[in-house]
Amino acid sequence: MTGIKRLAAACLSALFFLFLFIGFTGCQHKEQEAVRECIAQELEPLKTSDTDEIVSYFEKAGLTSGLPEGKLPEDVAEVFLLFFQDFDYRIKEISFDEEQTKAAALLELQIIDAKTLARDFASQTIVEGLTSQTLPSRVEYSLEDYYLLLRQLLLDKDYGTEKCEYTVSLTRSGDGWIMNRDEELENVLTGNFVAYGADPELLSPEEVITLYFDTIKSFDTEQINRFLSLDELFSADDEYKRTIAKSLAGQILQYLDYAIIDAQNDGLTAQVTAEVTTCDWNSIIKAYQEDMAAYTATSQALADGMSIRLTKANQMLLDCIDANDSATSSTVTLTLENDGTNWKLKSDDVFVEAILGNIKEAVANTSTSPET
């Protein structure tokens, strides 16, 4: 073969492989575009600013079960929009198997900082649970209420975003592709919010006790009265019961403070030891008894009669409560149990008694109904 013929053969061979390569890469490019289009169809709805569109997305994914059927209330629907308001994604890499029947796409996802949100949600749930005990009638939280609580958190605070990588798998379907969705993918898209919320160690026992005390300290006098049942501590007529309870509540709010000094946690139970400061009820009762003794020793007390003496006794107690400027501290150990979801107080009574301090001991030896 002459040199010219060998050169021509080499050129033809090169052109053949060039066309083959172009055909192969063109096919690959076409398949990659099809995969990108499939992924976009699945994830672009999460970037919408249309409430109905994003709710429809989650309804199809079965993530609205338990909510009222039909059109969701606007406030509830807004939760989905707020949760994904900063969501974004980028396709970093696409690969295929040899038969071109399966594909994998490495995604870089921009998702909400779900752990911080879950911590705030768990904390606020505890606060709402305590606050509900101060209502005239006990109201149980519904699933819709929890969505509204989540909505308020998302409105009140910017939780920022974090990035993570996740590989999605796709399967060929005719001339197109189907992105395989599973529970793991849903968890990743939501920043593992549900998993964080179910983590029993999301809040430590110390954090739970801190929430309890801080919530009580934020109550007003009426809430403190209902939470501690203060109007049941003294025997007096209804009018004075309410007035005395309000004064007691004011004293608690004025002096209540705490400091956590130790915590032990074996994973199932925990003991949190705190030094609790509250008003000194012994001081109040001592002052009341001295005033009563001075009054009942007078001839005026005998002349007043039982009804007037009772009124004056109630007023003396109120005056002693309002005039109190003494506080007392005690050490209390609160036991919590882990129910697999979060830490809960084993006994609310111990917590309540810690806030009341020595009031029951002080009240045991007195009465607002003096004998003649």
Side-chain angles (χ1 to χ4, degrees):
M1 181 181 293
T2 65
I4 293 177
K5 289 182 179 181
R6 283 197 297 271
L7 179 60
C11 288
L12 288 173
S13 178
L15 286 172
F16 172 76
F17 284 110
L18 177 61
F19 288 137
L20 183 64
F21 175 76
I22 291 174
F24 174 76
T25 54
C27 181
Q28 282 286 93
H29 179 72
K30 180 180 178 182
E31 293 298 340
Q32 286 187 352
E33 287 302 310
V35 166
R36 290 179 182 276
E37 182 178 344
C38 174
I39 293 173
Q41 289 176 349
E42 292 289 335
L43 299 184
E44 283 295 322
L46 292 175
K47 298 169 63 177
T48 183
S49 58
D50 184 275
T51 305
D52 292 337
E53 184 178 348
I54 199 166
V55 168
S56 175
Y57 175 90
F58 282 100
E59 286 176 339
K60 291 176 182 177
L63 297 179
T64 58
S65 59
L67 288 170
E69 296 184 1
K71 186 176 177 62
L72 292 179
E74 185 176 340
D75 288 346
V76 175
E78 189 182 8
V79 173
F80 298 97
L81 200 64
L82 292 169
F83 197 95
F84 287 94
Q85 60 186 334
D86 295 316
F87 172 79
D88 204 355
Y89 71 96
R90 180 169 69 91
I91 302 173
K92 297 184 67 175
E93 182 181 312
I94 298 174
S95 59
F96 301 90
D97 65 352
E98 292 183 1
E99 291 78 19
Q100 299 276 304
T101 59
K102 296 184 182 298
L106 177 62
L107 307 180
E108 181 182 79
L109 301 171
Q110 178 175 287
I111 53 179
I112 192 171
D113 179 4
K115 185 174 184 178
T116 301
L117 175 60
R119 282 179 54 83
D120 286 352
F121 182 73
S123 299
Q124 196 59 36
T125 299
I126 292 174
V127 172
E128 294 296 329
L130 290 170
T131 304
S132 70
Q133 297 181 43
T134 70
L135 299 175
S137 59
R138 188 69 178 269
V139 178
E140 295 296 331
Y141 250 50
S142 66
L143 181 60
E144 183 176 340
D145 290 325
Y146 284 112
Y147 269 91
L148 294 178
L149 176 57
L150 188 59
R151 170 184 176 272
Q152 196 59 52
L153 289 172
L154 290 166
L155 287 172
D156 291 344
K157 183 176 178 179
D158 180 6
Y159 283 92
T161 61
E162 56 185 17
K163 292 186 177 181
C164 69
E165 291 186 348
Y166 185 78
T167 300
V168 295
S169 61
L170 300 95
T171 304
R172 181 180 290 282
S173 175
D175 295 332
W177 294 88
I178 296 176
M179 192 175 88
N180 302 318
R181 302 189 68 102
D182 54 23
E183 186 176 346
E184 182 181 3
L185 175 60
E186 302 300 342
N187 287 336
V188 171
L189 291 176
T190 58
N192 291 304
F193 176 76
V194 174
Y196 284 129
D199 181 4
E201 298 291 343
L202 183 65
L203 298 176
S204 69
E206 302 97 300
E207 288 174 313
V208 172
I209 294 302
T210 296
L211 282 167
Y212 266 72
F213 277 115
D214 286 349
T215 301
I216 301 305
K217 291 179 66 175
S218 72
F219 284 167
D220 58 29
T221 55
E222 186 61 31
Q223 288 175 309
I224 285 285
N225 178 24
R226 290 196 179 119
F227 186 81
L228 300 175
S229 300
L230 296 176
D231 53 6
E232 297 177 7
L233 292 175
F234 290 92
S235 58
D237 60 59
D238 289 343
E239 179 182 354
Y240 269 104
K241 273 188 178 182
R242 289 191 294 270
T243 307
I244 291 172
K246 184 175 181 180
S247 293
L248 294 175
Q251 281 284 318
I252 290 173
L253 290 175
Q254 180 177 351
Y255 292 104
L256 181 61
D257 204 357
Y258 70 98
I260 294 175
I261 56 181
D262 187 45
Q264 303 293 327
N265 175 6
D266 65 11
L268 296 177
T269 59
Q271 285 77 40
V272 177
T273 302
E275 183 179 60
V276 182
T277 300
T278 187
C279 55
D280 187 356
W281 302 109
N282 281 328
S283 177
I284 293 173
I285 296 303
K286 181 181 178 182
Y288 166 72
Q289 289 174 327
E290 291 175 351
D291 288 351
M292 278 296 299
Y295 166 64
T296 55
T298 65
S299 58
Q300 183 63 47
L302 184 61
D304 284 341
M306 187 61 181
S307 176
I308 296 177
R309 285 199 298 272
L310 178 59
T311 299
K312 288 189 175 182
N314 287 326
Q315 188 59 53
M316 286 179 188
L317 178 59
L318 280 171
D319 292 342
C320 290
I321 293 172
D322 293 337
N324 177 65
D325 58 2
S326 299
T328 184
S329 297
S330 61
T331 300
V332 61
T333 297
L334 301 165
T335 300
L336 300 93
E337 294 180 333
N338 197 315
D339 63 1
T341 302
N342 51 37
W343 290 99
K344 290 184 172 65
L345 272 177
K346 185 176 181 180
S347 173
D348 287 344
D349 292 341
V350 178
F351 176 69
V352 168
E353 289 174 5
I355 298 172
L356 289 174
N358 56 15
I359 187 171
K360 290 185 177 180
E361 171 193 343
V363 172
N365 298 319
T366 190
S367 171
T368 57
S369 300
E371 297 294 332
T372 56

